[in-house]
Amino acid sequence: MASKLSLTPITDLAVHKSSTFHTQFLQTSLVIRSLSSSSSLHTKPLSSKLDIRRKSFVCSNSLKQETVQNPTASPTPLTSSNKLVLVTGGTGGVGQLVVASLLNRNVKLRLLLRDPEKAKTLFGEHEEEKLQVVKADTRNPEELDPSMFEGVTHVICCTGTTAFPSKRWDGDNTPERVDWEGIRNLVSTLPRSLSRLILVSSVGVTKSNELPWSIMNLFGVLKYKKMGEDFVINSGLPYTILRPGRLTDGPYTSYDLNTLLKATAGERRAVLIGQGDKLVGEVSRLVVAEACIQALDIDFTQGQIYEINSVPGDGPGNNTEKWKELFKAAQIQ
């Protein structure tokens, strides 16, 4: 295992012109269209390496979502220079929008990627002081070292794969490996000093044995996502878990940063937030990305789990006060 963090400046990466992203779910039936990928229960024993690491690193409402970042909007608390946000799954459907928005807000970022070359394709060239790229695969604990997380204050985890067998499963990229083992490995290595961990999960994870969720869970995606959630909850780290409905808008394949910043949620800008795994529906990836960013600094979202959908109408955009109202209303329902 490497003992020293090795960062790859984004300016040193070769352009990757053929990166391809796939949709989060198969959309071949009305049942599947109403759900989003996820998973839950039986746990494997941790490897001895992870046991050692854990000892040291125990680790609605409506109101305007037009773009990833509205240039005319007032700045959010995340413009502070003392933050270093680590994003996993940063080139995926939600992750790329999270990264684009944070870059536009001048938040210092570190990306943990299997293929660092994809970062330049999506986000362009940036100085290391603004964007750092670390090559690592969360599925493999030997590739994760505590030095990779030095200085990190916040983590947004957007990793995931498809609920049903697809090309994205190639290379052992199954729900068990990504949504359970990958989350376990990541969380076991995170420092105790972390201010917040945001985990993107899925609606339906507590109902994997009920229709129609049992159909989505045929290959265990809901089961394994629930196992990942439980590991985060029991880690002792400050967390917020977001459970989106079926994801819409994007992923924006082979687009550059300027295109990502112009992406819109169309008419589905209004945001619905609930608790108790009761929401069923769809949500724009742009809404999920913004929810991740907003939850980082809203104190009362710590230790909470929220479901999130979007519907036609005006939404909160990146207005922190309106997001606070949405999150707060969900908790008192």
Side-chain angles (χ1 to χ4, degrees):
M1 178 181 298
S3 59
K4 185 178 181 182
L5 172 62
S6 176
L7 297 176
T8 304
I10 195 73
T11 53
D12 294 339
L13 300 176
V15 178
H16 183 79
K17 296 184 178 179
S18 60
S19 60
T20 303
F21 300 105
H22 302 276
T23 53
Q24 183 76 14
F25 309 106
L26 298 181
Q27 301 177 13
T28 57
S29 72
L30 291 176
V31 172
I32 294 173
R33 287 186 62 84
S34 70
L35 303 172
S36 121
S37 74
S38 309
S39 330
S40 150
L41 294 159
H42 97 276
T43 322
K44 291 183 179 178
L46 298 180
S47 67
S48 58
K49 291 183 179 179
L50 283 175
D51 288 332
I52 295 173
R53 284 176 181 158
R54 286 188 64 193
K55 292 176 182 178
S56 303
F57 297 90
V58 175
C59 334
S60 235
N61 316 344
S62 14
L63 296 146
K64 172 173 181 192
Q65 175 77 27
E66 293 184 354
T67 63
V68 179
Q69 165 70 13
N70 182 348
T72 62
S74 57
T76 69
L78 279 176
T79 55
S80 60
S81 59
N82 61 346
K83 288 184 174 63
L84 173 56
V85 180
L86 179 122
V87 180
T88 62
T91 58
V94 171
Q96 61 183 246
L97 297 168
V98 168
V99 173
S101 187
L102 288 174
L103 283 172
N104 200 50
R105 299 179 198 202
N106 295 315
V107 177
K108 187 175 180 180
L109 287 172
R110 184 176 297 165
L111 305 186
L112 199 66
L113 297 175
R114 300 178 196 171
D115 181 6
E117 291 187 356
K118 289 184 178 180
K120 185 174 181 180
T121 304
L122 287 169
F123 311 122
E125 298 182 356
H126 297 276
E127 297 298 325
E128 187 175 317
E129 296 74 40
K130 185 171 184 179
L131 177 62
Q132 304 166 351
V133 180
V134 179
K135 179 177 173 57
D137 187 338
T138 58
R139 298 173 301 174
N140 303 324
E142 64 275 8
E143 294 187 27
L144 300 175
D145 187 88
S147 62
M148 293 178 175
F149 307 99
E150 289 178 0
V152 170
T153 58
H154 301 75
V155 174
I156 300 178
C157 180
C158 305
T159 55
T161 187
T162 54
F164 298 91
S166 70
K167 187 177 180 180
R168 283 188 63 186
W169 281 29
D170 292 351
D172 203 19
N173 201 47
T174 62
E176 181 176 12
R177 295 282 282 130
V178 175
D179 294 310
W180 161 230
E181 294 179 13
I183 298 301
R184 181 192 68 191
N185 297 337
L186 174 67
V187 173
S188 296
T189 319
L190 292 176
R192 295 284 297 178
S193 59
L194 203 67
S195 295
R196 189 72 64 89
L197 165 63
I198 306 295
L199 175 67
V200 179
S201 182
S202 171
V203 295
V205 294
T206 67
K207 303 175 180 180
S208 60
N209 294 323
E210 304 174 16
L211 284 172
W213 310 107
S214 56
I215 297 175
M216 178 61 69
N217 194 47
L218 284 175
F219 294 90
V221 69
L222 295 176
K223 181 181 79 169
Y224 293 120
K225 279 193 178 292
K226 182 60 165 59
M227 289 170 65
E229 283 191 12
D230 290 344
F231 197 83
V232 167
I233 293 169
N234 294 321
S235 69
L237 294 171
Y239 69 87
T240 303
I241 296 172
L242 298 177
R243 295 171 173 170
R246 190 185 74 85
L247 297 171
T248 64
D249 298 321
Y252 299 95
T253 308
S254 298
Y255 280 36
D256 61 16
L257 180 61
N258 289 331
T259 304
L260 290 172
L261 291 173
K262 295 175 183 176
T264 68
E267 296 181 354
R268 302 180 66 87
R269 301 184 300 271
V271 177
L272 302 177
I273 297 180
Q275 290 189 308
D277 208 0
K278 299 174 182 178
L279 287 184
V280 179
E282 300 180 337
V283 60
S284 167
R285 285 180 170 88
L286 287 96
V287 168
V288 179
E290 187 63 33
C292 290
I293 294 170
Q294 293 293 337
L296 284 177
D297 279 341
I298 299 178
D299 291 342
F300 64 80
T301 64
Q302 181 175 321
Q304 298 292 320
I305 303 173
Y306 300 96
E307 292 78 50
I308 183 166
N309 284 348
S310 58
V311 295
D314 288 335
N318 62 7
N319 186 307
T320 297
E321 291 306 313
K322 292 181 178 180
W323 277 100
K324 285 181 179 179
E325 293 173 14
L326 289 166
F327 282 120
K328 181 66 74 175
Q331 291 182 202
I332 62 177
Q333 289 177 352

